[in-house]
Amino acid sequence: MYLKALRDSGSVDHIEYGYYVARVKSAPLATKGPRGRPQLVSPQWPVMIQDGNSAQISNASFMVSYANREEKGSDVNVASHLLLDVLAGAIDGALVISNDSDLRFPIQEARKRVPVGLINPSRNQLAGALRAESTVGAGNHWWRQLTATDFKDHQLPDPAGKYSRPVGW
């Protein structure tokens, strides 16, 4: 509904969609370790592993199968449109709303030719691969991290085209 409201209100020129794929994946069982990094689970009571002679196997790995839903295509689409617009000379600056490190190369190339503003919509720090000096290439690059207040203070008008906010929004 939000994307329809954006389009209907005239707030965007083009929306490029990705798609989702669902797959079953397998991986070693892990828990969140220090600094949030995966720490592999090893056999310990109450779950132990034994070989055919009842000897304990302390270095076994637990493998799990899990459902994984993954968004595909949107980062490639953003990168492609960014580079096509920059290389065609269709824009004199770019604004990218993402914290996806997969965009490192296209953003790096765009910065050589036009100023690039990068808005991080997540609560996480800016991805290290997206960092650069504000003076590289064309210069005048800038960064900003969105806050909850930013989202609250900069909503679409109500109504936005033929779409209205939910009651209590």
Side-chain angles (χ1 to χ4, degrees), residues 3-168:
L3 296 177
K4 289 177 183 178
L6 279 174
R7 188 179 315 126
D8 206 47
S9 68
S11 297
V12 296
D13 296 324
H14 176 77
I15 297 174
E16 185 72 36
Y17 294 95
Y19 60 95
Y20 284 90
V21 294
R23 295 186 175 118
V24 175
K25 290 190 171 188
S26 61
L29 183 63
T31 58
K32 191 181 282 189
R35 296 185 169 176
R37 296 178 189 223
Q39 188 169 352
L40 296 183
V41 173
S42 58
Q44 58 185 351
W45 287 105
V47 179
M48 297 297 294
I49 307 292
Q50 294 180 340
D51 65 15
N53 298 319
S54 297
Q56 291 185 359
I57 302 174
S58 59
N59 61 349
S61 294
F62 295 107
M63 296 298 293
V64 295
S65 198
Y66 63 96
N68 184 57
R69 189 165 188 246
E70 188 176 358
E71 187 276 330
K72 304 296 279 181
S74 63
D75 55 350
V76 172
N77 293 341
V78 167
S80 299
H81 281 284
L82 174 65
L83 290 177
L84 286 171
D85 289 347
V86 168
L87 295 173
I91 60 174
D92 55 11
L95 175 63
V96 177
I97 303 172
S98 179
N99 196 32
D100 187 340
S101 61
D102 289 346
L103 296 175
R104 180 198 58 79
F105 179 75
I107 289 174
Q108 178 183 340
E109 290 302 308
R111 284 180 180 139
K112 292 177 182 178
R113 295 160 177 86
V114 298
V116 176
L118 188 59
I119 296 180
N120 176 1
S122 75
R123 293 181 179 158
N124 301 329
Q125 290 183 10
L126 180 66
L130 300 179
R131 297 174 193 252
E133 295 295 323
S134 63
T135 56
V136 300
N140 294 319
H141 312 297
W142 55 270
W143 296 260
R144 176 164 168 110
Q145 183 165 14
L146 292 181
T147 65
T149 302
D150 292 325
F151 285 106
K152 184 178 177 205
D153 291 347
H154 297 91
Q155 295 185 30
L156 291 172
D158 191 20
K162 63 183 177 187
Y163 297 93
S164 296
R165 289 185 198 146
V167 176

